[in-house]
């Protein structure tokens, strides 16, 4: 480790109680020495905090607390110093400038975390989890991010790699000692079932990744239905706020109105749409309509019907159009006489106007997306798009290996696919450190992180 020393303001700029200026690298002690009036920090123990003043020559700049952390037990594994200044961006900026004037370099975005990764304190999935913690919007996404930070994704990937290595080992043994077993028996009896089992594991991880993505990014929820059935009223009832305009006039909502709610730790990104009408050429109309795109993109459709009206032909078509989606049918206006004339599976009867059964709707949404907290606690979900894309490649490579083995191709052909799968898994945890990937990834962090 012979890194230049980096510094940055780690807190958001703008008036606040405290700002933290952070520094990491070999020279932190020599850089701070001429600037700090207080105890000699270079003689102090790791993980201690010291009171003093930052000085610009003879001029006091700020009264500060300096935390010091000695390598290797630090976030970056380098020597680190954190200066707690008074809030106010000017003073923090001045302290930073003084550090730079004594030889520190301004850190790039995410560079502290990048160093933690490059110095082997965390793997790439853990570094990404740091970002996930910062961006978490609900308890579930925070839990998921913390699992990542604890190294759960890392362990999952490593255990898949162990299975792979075992298969490759088996093949190698056979190549080295051809008399050990005949090739055909090896591939069909030993290698093939193992590849199949591993592919099954990978596909299972991919199968649950949708839940992970939903926990992380929220459920894209689109409220649709004919005009005046009460879509905007449903949005408002869920948001507990009069966000969308509600009137008795058909076609009140013209553009998509959005809102975000948190149902027991799950985030829903709600979109209220314009009522879909005109029975003639309905499908064609929807085709040119934004609503159709929204329906396709949605994780959840809330289809609103008016309890007070008989089911129309348009409703039937729209119900058919959305039947392949995760969907809840909301029978609204139950405070009025029922004229709808039939019942539906997966429906909830509510009154958005009177706030009746809104919690029943919420519970239904939650049940639809989580098999219960227990299952959530016990599993490791992939949620990061990069991880999911790589995992898909791994699944394809295992499929190729399987096909090769089934076709009784020479075992070394099978091994090529397995090795690619091994490398791709390695890319998830950052074992092959691609410079571009790292630059892209860490630039998504804030300065000073
Ligand atoms: N009685 C009763 N009226 C309701 C209920 N929900 C909504 N309404 C009324 O139905 C009318 C239409 O409500 P909106 O929420 O604007 O309906 P919308 O589906 O968004 O309508 P568009 O945006 O025009 O497509 C308003 O007068 C609401 O007050 C309900 O549960 N019971
Ligand atoms: Mg509306």
């Amino acid at each position: 480790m012979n890194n230049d020393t980096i510094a940055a303001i780690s807190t958001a700029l703008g008036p606040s109680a405290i700002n933290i200026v952070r520094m990491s690298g070999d020279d932190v002690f020599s850089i701070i020495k001429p600037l700090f009036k207080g105890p000699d920090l270079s003689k102090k123990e790791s993980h201690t905090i010291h009171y003093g003043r930052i000085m610009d020559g003879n001029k006091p700049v700020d009264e500060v607390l300096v935390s010091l952390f000695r390598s290797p037990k630090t976030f970056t594994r380098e020597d680190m110093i954190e200066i707690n200044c008074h809030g106010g961006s000017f003073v923090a900026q001045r302290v930073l400038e003084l550090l730079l004037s004594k030889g520190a370099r301004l850190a790039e975005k995410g560079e502290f975390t990048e160093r933690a990764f490059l110095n082997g304190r965390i793997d790439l999935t853990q570094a990404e989890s740091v970002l996930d913690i910062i961006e978490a919007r609900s308890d579930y996404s925070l839990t998921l991010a913390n699992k990542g930070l604890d190294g759960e994704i890392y362990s999952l990937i490593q255990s898949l790699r162990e299975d792979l290595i075992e298969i490759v080992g088996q093949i190698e043994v056979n190549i080295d000692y051809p008399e050990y077993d005949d090739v055909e028996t090896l591939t069909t009896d030993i290698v093939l079932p193992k590849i199949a089992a591993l592919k099954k594991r990978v596909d299972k991880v991919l199968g649950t990744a949708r839940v992970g993505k939903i926990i992380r990014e929220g459920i894209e929820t689109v409220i649709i239905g004919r005009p005046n059935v009460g879509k905007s009223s449903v949005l408002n009832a869920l948001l507990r706020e009069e966000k969308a305009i509600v009137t008795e006039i058909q076609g009140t909502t013209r553009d998509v109105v959005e809102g975000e709610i948190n149902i027991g730790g799950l985030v829903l990104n709600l979109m209220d749409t314009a009522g879909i009408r005109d029975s003639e050429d309905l499908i064609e109309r929807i085709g040119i309509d934004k609503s159709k795109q929204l329906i396709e993109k949605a994780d959840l459709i809330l289809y609103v019907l008016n309890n007070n009206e008989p089911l129309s032909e348009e409703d039937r078509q729209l119900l058919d159009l959305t039947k392949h989606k995760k969907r809840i049918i909301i029978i609204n206006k139950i405070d009025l006489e029922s004229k709808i004339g039939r019942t539906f599976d997966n429906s909830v009867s509510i009154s958005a106007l009177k706030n009746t059964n809104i919690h029943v709707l919420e519970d239904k949404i939650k049940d639809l997306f989580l098999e219960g907290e227990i299952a959530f606690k016990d599993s490791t979900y992939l949620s990061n798009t990069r991880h999911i894309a790589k995992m898909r490649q791994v699944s394809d490579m295992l499929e190729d290996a399987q096909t090769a083995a089934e076709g009784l191709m020479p075992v070394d052909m099978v091994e090529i696919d397995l090795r690619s799968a091994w490398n791709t898994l390695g890319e998830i945890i950052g074992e092959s450190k691609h410079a571009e990937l790292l630059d892209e990834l860490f630039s998504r962090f804030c300065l000073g992180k």
Side-chain angles (χ1 to χ4, degrees), residues 65-78:
L65 284 176
V66 177
S67 316
L68 71 91
F69 309 94
R70 288 185 187 277
S71 169
K73 282 195 168 171
T74 74
F75 181 58
T76 56
R77 286 210 168 154
E78 303 169 344

Side-chain angles (χ1 to χ4, degrees), residues 326-382:
K326 250 196 178 116
R327 179 179 75 179
I328 293 175
I329 294 171
I330 298 176
I331 300 175
N332 188 34
K333 309 199 188 185
I334 51 160
D335 53 303
L336 302 177
E337 187 194 340
S338 179
K339 294 184 183 162
I340 191 157
R342 57 164 286 193
T343 56
F344 296 89
D345 289 344
N346 234 351
S347 68
V348 191
S349 299
I350 68 162
S351 167
L353 184 74
K354 310 250 184 233
N355 266 316
T356 315
N357 283 355
I358 302 303
H359 63 280
V360 179
L361 172 61
E362 291 175 339
D363 287 348
K364 203 161 183 81
I365 294 172
K366 207 178 157 195
D367 289 349
L368 206 57
F369 282 90
L370 292 178
E371 313 118 273
E373 226 164 312
I374 312 297
F376 174 72
K377 280 200 187 107
D378 292 345
S379 353
T380 305
Y381 294 115
L382 286 195

Side-chain angles (χ1 to χ4, degrees), residues 185-202:
T185 324
L186 173 80
T187 35
T188 51
D189 292 0
I190 302 175
V191 174
L192 196 54
K194 283 192 173 157
I195 298 175
L198 181 59
K199 179 159 190 310
K200 218 167 164 184
R201 265 190 86 192
V202 167

Side-chain angles (χ1 to χ4, degrees), residues 171-399:
I171 294 174
E172 290 286 331
V173 165
N174 189 264
I175 290 172
D176 291 345
Y177 307 98
E179 71 286 355
Y180 191 71
D181 217 335
D182 77 272
V183 176
E184 212 162 296
T185 324
L186 173 80
T187 35
T188 51
D189 292 0
I190 302 175
V191 174
L192 196 54
K194 283 192 173 157
I195 298 175
L198 181 59
K199 179 159 190 310
K200 218 167 164 184
R201 265 190 86 192
V202 167
D203 288 346
K204 194 164 166 219
V205 170
L206 278 171
T208 58
R210 180 114 194 109
V211 183
K213 248 185 109 64
I214 277 169
I215 290 170
R216 177 200 176 94
E217 287 165 16
I219 302 166
E220 296 299 316
T221 307
V222 181
I223 307 173
I224 59 166
R226 288 190 302 112
N228 243 15
V229 291
K231 298 177 297 300
S232 300
S233 305
V234 169
L235 176 85
N236 291 346
L238 285 169
L239 292 177
R240 289 163 179 81
E241 164 191 348
E242 301 306 308
K243 182 140 191 183
I245 300 166
V246 169
T247 72
E248 66 289 348
I249 304 161
Q250 297 205 352
T252 301
T253 308
R254 296 293 167 90
D255 223 339
V256 179
V257 183
E258 296 186 50
E260 183 183 303
I261 51 164
N262 185 320
I263 301 178
L266 264 186
V267 173
L268 252 72
N269 305 318
L270 286 167
M271 280 161 279
D272 172 29
T273 62
I276 299 171
R277 58 173 140 185
D278 187 358
S279 63
E280 280 161 31
D281 295 326
L282 175 74
I283 303 300
E284 188 187 321
R285 275 213 30 206
I286 299 173
I288 52 171
D289 200 328
K290 252 198 238 163
S291 305
K292 180 151 186 192
Q293 290 168 13
L294 288 177
I295 290 170
E296 278 316 310
K297 262 190 29 206
D299 298 312
L300 173 66
I301 304 284
L302 298 181
Y303 189 86
V304 186
L305 287 167
N306 181 352
N307 175 55
N308 194 229
E309 282 171 356
L311 199 70
S312 71
E313 181 51 32
E314 289 162 317
D315 281 322
R316 273 188 203 94
Q317 290 189 33
L318 279 168
L319 284 167
D320 198 50
L321 194 74
T322 54
K323 69 168 187 269
H324 64 291
K325 303 290 294 189
K326 250 196 178 116
R327 179 179 75 179
I328 293 175
I329 294 171
I330 298 176
I331 300 175
N332 188 34
K333 309 199 188 185
I334 51 160
D335 53 303
L336 302 177
E337 187 194 340
S338 179
K339 294 184 183 162
I340 191 157
R342 57 164 286 193
T343 56
F344 296 89
D345 289 344
N346 234 351
S347 68
V348 191
S349 299
I350 68 162
S351 167
L353 184 74
K354 310 250 184 233
N355 266 316
T356 315
N357 283 355
I358 302 303
H359 63 280
V360 179
L361 172 61
E362 291 175 339
D363 287 348
K364 203 161 183 81
I365 294 172
K366 207 178 157 195
D367 289 349
L368 206 57
F369 282 90
L370 292 178
E371 313 118 273
E373 226 164 312
I374 312 297
F376 174 72
K377 280 200 187 107
D378 292 345
S379 353
T380 305
Y381 294 115
L382 286 195
S383 65
N384 180 306
T385 315
R386 190 183 73 82
H387 302 170
I388 295 170
K390 290 277 170 217
M391 198 59 93
R392 288 223 170 87
Q393 289 176 16
V394 171
S395 172
D396 289 347
M397 288 161 184
L398 290 176
E399 176 143 10

